[in-house]
Amino acid sequence: MWDLRLPSGLFFAILGVILTGLGVAAPDMRAPLTDVNVNLYSGLSMLAFGAFLLLMARRASRKQS
C-alpha cells in the first residue's frame, strides 16, 4: 500500500518554503484589506504541517522495516 503522507508532506513543505520566502522577501505583497503578512504566516503553517507529515511517513516506514 502506498503512503500518501510522503507526497502530501513534500507538497506542503515545498509550498510552505515558497510562501515563506515570498513573505520574507516581499512583505508589502499582501491582501489588500489586511495589514498582516498572510504569505509569511500561511507559509510557516504549511511548512510545519508538511514537516509533520514527512515525520509521520518516516516513522511509518521505519516501523514496517
Side-chain angles (χ1 to χ4, degrees):
M1 195 68 169
W2 199 51
D3 192 10
L4 288 178
R5 288 176 284 203
L6 182 64
S8 298
L10 286 173
F11 173 75
F12 278 108
I14 291 170
L15 199 59
V17 167
I18 291 170
L19 282 175
T20 303
L22 278 175
V24 169
D28 55 336
M29 285 181 50
R30 60 178 182 261
L33 297 178
T34 185
D35 292 331
V36 178
N37 193 347
V38 178
N39 287 336
L40 179 63
Y41 294 124
S42 62
L44 288 174
S45 63
M46 284 185 187
L47 189 59
F49 182 63
F52 175 72
L53 286 178
L54 290 173
L55 179 70
M56 292 295 111
R58 185 175 177 187
R59 281 183 50 184
S61 70
R62 283 188 174 188
K63 203 179 263 191
Q64 289 177 358
S65 296

